Amino acid sequence: WYEKAALQDNASGQTKLGDMYRLGLGTTQDYNEAFKWYEKAALQDNASGQTKLGDMYRLGLGTTQDYNEAFKWYEKAAIQGDASGQTKLGDMYYFGLGTTQDYNEAFKWYEKAALQEDASSQYWLGYMYLFGLGTTRDYNEAFKWLEKAALKGDDFGQSYLGDMYRLGQGTTQDYKEAFKWYEKAALQGDSSGQ
């Protein structure tokens, strides 16, 4: 079905077919084919296709690694409101990949995605509040966002939430709660929770 839709220039079908090739689901894994289908979808302004094309450029899958191209496609998706694109654009600003490092811009894009319930962005937003990166340090806001990420299973959010309970930052100090969150993070392989 995805192939039929993709061949009829259905951007959603093209994105799904790209997923099938990227992951090797029902076909042989082929990053070049995945790249081709994501690009077709992205050129039709499909936000998910744009984000996934950005991933291919960022990771160098099916193409030469190119952070500038990744940034361009993430930005297109982010402007359309795609939470994953917003998170990844935030990452590009945070780490200075394909653009100048800018914590204020990273914060802005993480916040947009976090408000759409993206767990990764909720973690990063909490982290930025915790350390005052791109915003004023605010333990209460850090706790709020880290808790949201932790409750969605984000291991980094769980570990930092454990820290906040242990240190009494943004909440009442509670070693039992700290232990609970460290244990959850550790069970997912987070070394700081172990």
Side-chain angles (χ1 to χ4, degrees):
W1 184 89
Y2 293 136
E3 189 171 22
K4 283 184 180 184
L7 291 171
Q8 293 175 15
D9 285 331
N10 177 294
S12 181
Q14 291 168 338
T15 301
K16 295 292 186 188
L17 187 58
D19 290 342
M20 301 298 277
Y21 278 114
R22 182 174 51 86
L23 300 170
L25 300 173
T27 187
T28 304
Q29 187 175 50
D30 187 333
Y31 294 134
N32 293 323
E33 279 294 307
F35 180 88
K36 177 180 92 175
W37 290 108
Y38 289 148
E39 185 175 44
K40 286 178 181 288
L43 290 171
Q44 292 189 66
D45 290 326
N46 179 279
S48 180
Q50 291 170 337
T51 297
K52 291 175 181 188
L53 184 61
D55 290 342
M56 300 299 276
Y57 276 115
R58 183 174 51 86
L59 299 170
L61 300 175
T63 188
T64 304
Q65 186 177 49
D66 187 334
Y67 292 135
N68 293 324
E69 279 294 308
F71 179 89
K72 176 180 96 175
W73 290 107
Y74 289 149
E75 185 175 44
K76 287 177 181 287
I79 288 168
Q80 289 192 66
D82 183 73
S84 181
Q86 291 169 339
T87 298
K88 291 172 181 183
L89 185 61
D91 292 344
M92 300 299 276
Y93 277 116
Y94 186 89
F95 294 105
L97 302 173
T99 189
T100 304
Q101 186 177 48
D102 186 334
Y103 292 140
N104 293 323
E105 280 295 308
F107 182 89
K108 175 180 100 175
W109 289 107
Y110 287 144
E111 184 175 41
K112 288 178 184 288
L115 291 170
Q116 293 188 64
E117 301 300 320
D118 182 87
S120 179
S121 279
Q122 290 173 335
Y123 157 73
W124 278 109
L125 194 60
Y127 181 89
M128 294 184 85
Y129 272 119
L130 182 61
F131 293 102
L133 301 171
T135 188
T136 304
R137 177 179 276 182
D138 185 330
Y139 291 138
N140 293 324
E141 283 294 309
F143 182 87
K144 175 179 99 175
W145 290 107
L146 290 170
E147 183 179 44
K148 286 176 180 283
L151 289 169
K152 287 186 176 77
D154 185 277
D155 58 329
F156 295 116
Q158 292 168 343
S159 183
Y160 276 99
L161 188 62
D163 287 345
M164 297 197 78
Y165 273 115
R166 180 175 56 84
L167 300 170
Q169 294 174 325
T171 189
T172 304
Q173 189 174 49
D174 186 331
Y175 294 124
K176 286 183 181 180
E177 278 295 305
F179 179 84
K180 176 181 98 176
W181 289 107
Y182 286 143
E183 184 175 42
K184 286 179 183 287
L187 289 171
Q188 293 193 73
D190 183 88
S191 60
S192 59
Q194 295 172 348

